[in-house]
Structure formats: C-alpha cells, structure tokens
Amino acid sequence: AKIDVALGGFGVEVHRWVEFTALTRESVGGLVAEAEGFRLRNQELDTDYFAALQQSQSWLSERAAATAGGPNPACQMIVWFTDGQYDIEDRTGPRTSRLPRFKEPDTSIDLAKRGAADRLAAKGRTALCGPAGIIDQLRVSKIPIVAVGLNTQASPFDDGYLRSLVEGEGCGTEPPLGELKPAGDVDDVIIDLSTVAQTTSGPAPVPFPPATVCPEDEPSPDCVLRFSIPDAVGRFTILGLPQEAGTSLELQPPGGGP
C-alpha cells in the first residue's frame, strides 16, 4: 500500500511543516528529522483544538480531491499528539498582546477583552462537537482520530474532553470513530502507535507471555521465548521493549547468531 504522510503543529495557529510525502525508506529520515523539531516548539500560548482539527480536516479534504480518480479511494487518518488542555489565552498581558485578537470559529469575539478567550473556546467546543460539526463530518468521511495524550506533570492533557472528541461520549451525533491513547513516556507512545498501525493494516497483534530476565551471559529456558513462523508468512514484525532498566533483547534465528 502507498502511504502519504503530512506533518503539522498547532498552538496559536496551525502550521504544516511537511507537505504530503510518500512514506518510503528514503523519506523516513527526513520525516524523523522534522519531527525532532518539535522538541523546541513548546512555547505556544494557545492550545487550540478547534484550529488543529479544522485545519487537519481541510488538508485531508484537499488531499482526497487531489488524488481522486485513482484505482482505490483514499483511506485517511489523523494521528494527533497533545500535551495540553484546550486553552485560548486572553490578549490582555504583555506576553499575549502581539497575538491575533480575532480567531475562528467566531471572529466577532475580541480576545483583548478579559474573559473573551473562554467564550471563544466555548464556541470552538460547539463547532467541534455540535450536530454536523467538525467531529461529525470527520466520522461521516470515515476519518478516524487516534489521539495520543502526552500526560506530563508539567502539562497534563484534558483526558475527559479529548476522550469525548475521539471516542464519542458527549461529542457529536455520529457513531464514534477513534481512540485515545494516554502515554506517560516514549515507550508507551511506541507501543500504542505500533498497535494502532497493526490493527489498521493487518490482523490483531499476538502478545508474548512475560519472561524473566536472564542472568548476564547465562541464558536459561526460563528467560527464552521460542516461536515458529509458518513458511507461508512472508514478513512479520516484532515489537519488544525491555521491562527493566539496563536489560536488552536479543533475537536469534534458527541456526544461531543474533
């Protein structure tokens, strides 16, 4: 299957850092390098959920129109990372005075007035979750949202509202289409996204039973997991993460050798 990836970020506004690009062995390095840039993009004052999903919907709609007429219809998905609550700041202090005073979904609200940001956020929630709103439109278009909530002590994500957006409780009128993946660390993110990729492109993953850690240089049957792959299987993926610090995983094919 051909997979195209675009990469955007949101805060006060939405910026597309990578246009739709074919995901290949040659392109993955550049995509990873662009993603690394988000380490330093942590100074935004708004966390505008409405802007993020409205713009994502617009990009996907444009992409579907541009690729229409091909042998297969576009199959689209939004993978959404956030570590903050839906939040708009009043433009009343020195840090916010240079930010845009008027924003969608209601440009009649002047954010330079105290309390205006809360009113704009309320309008945004309605535009997202109201009947025939953005969330319903995405569901009708069969575009699931996989939201990864990066739950940190410095910036806890809004679990309840984010879950309603993607899983349907209290948001929209169409059947829900999406899943929230809370992630406390990078291992959680790797496992969650790998699981999503597997379940959307193939059969359900087969979990391995837990294994004990081998003493150094002393493997024993208690810490070795053996499995067989039928000849008819041309390719498979193993996702393994050490459960204890300082340990590693080793895969040995038939005949020995790592």
Side-chain angles (χ1 to χ4, degrees):
K2 183 177 182 293
I3 300 176
D4 293 333
V5 177
L7 182 63
F10 74 103
V12 174
E13 298 174 330
V14 183
H15 182 77
R16 181 153 60 181
W17 294 98
V18 177
E19 299 292 331
F20 279 101
T21 302
L23 182 61
T24 65
R25 291 183 179 180
E26 292 73 25
S27 68
V28 69
L31 292 168
V32 171
E34 285 289 348
E36 283 285 342
F38 281 92
R39 291 182 186 273
L40 303 177
R41 296 171 192 149
N42 58 357
Q43 302 300 314
E44 293 279 352
L45 296 178
D46 288 351
T47 305
D48 194 337
Y49 284 11
F50 170 80
L53 292 177
Q54 181 196 48
Q55 192 61 66
S56 296
Q57 180 193 35
S58 176
W59 289 342
L60 290 175
S61 178
E62 292 171 2
R63 186 62 178 174
T67 56
N72 299 304
C75 178
Q76 299 180 321
M77 179 171 66
I78 297 172
V79 181
W80 179 22
F81 295 85
T82 183
D83 66 351
Q85 301 177 359
Y86 184 4
D87 179 60
I88 307 295
E89 296 285 337
D90 285 330
R91 308 321 196 212
T92 54
R95 292 204 310 157
T96 58
S97 60
R98 294 185 179 182
L99 298 180
R101 288 173 52 184
F102 303 95
K103 297 182 66 175
E104 297 286 355
D106 190 340
T107 55
S108 70
I109 296 177
D110 185 354
L111 294 173
K113 298 179 180 179
R114 293 193 179 279
D118 289 341
R119 289 190 287 118
L120 183 66
K123 289 290 186 76
R125 291 173 186 263
T126 298
L128 287 170
C129 290
I134 290 175
I135 295 299
D136 271 353
Q137 293 170 34
L138 290 169
R139 293 172 182 170
V140 168
S141 300
K142 304 302 181 185
I143 300 175
I145 302 172
V146 177
V148 181
L150 305 175
N151 196 358
T152 68
Q153 292 182 348
S155 183
F157 71 91
D158 191 339
D159 181 275
Y161 182 59
L162 196 58
R163 190 175 298 278
S164 73
L165 285 171
V166 299
E167 296 183 357
E169 184 66 31
C171 182
T173 59
E174 296 293 329
L177 188 64
E179 189 172 358
L180 172 63
K181 295 288 190 178
D185 57 40
V186 68
D187 287 352
D188 292 342
V189 174
I190 292 171
I191 292 172
D192 287 343
L193 292 185
S194 297
T195 301
V196 169
Q198 177 63 34
T199 55
T200 55
S201 62
V206 178
F208 282 100
T212 59
V213 177
C214 289
E216 188 173 358
D217 298 325
E218 295 182 16
S220 70
D222 293 335
C223 59
V224 174
L225 293 175
R226 300 183 182 276
F227 61 95
S228 60
I229 304 297
D231 292 338
V233 176
R235 185 176 64 178
F236 64 94
T237 299
I238 296 176
L239 174 63
L241 295 171
Q243 298 189 13
E244 296 184 18
T247 61
S248 61
L249 302 177
E250 183 177 288
L251 179 64
Q252 285 191 344

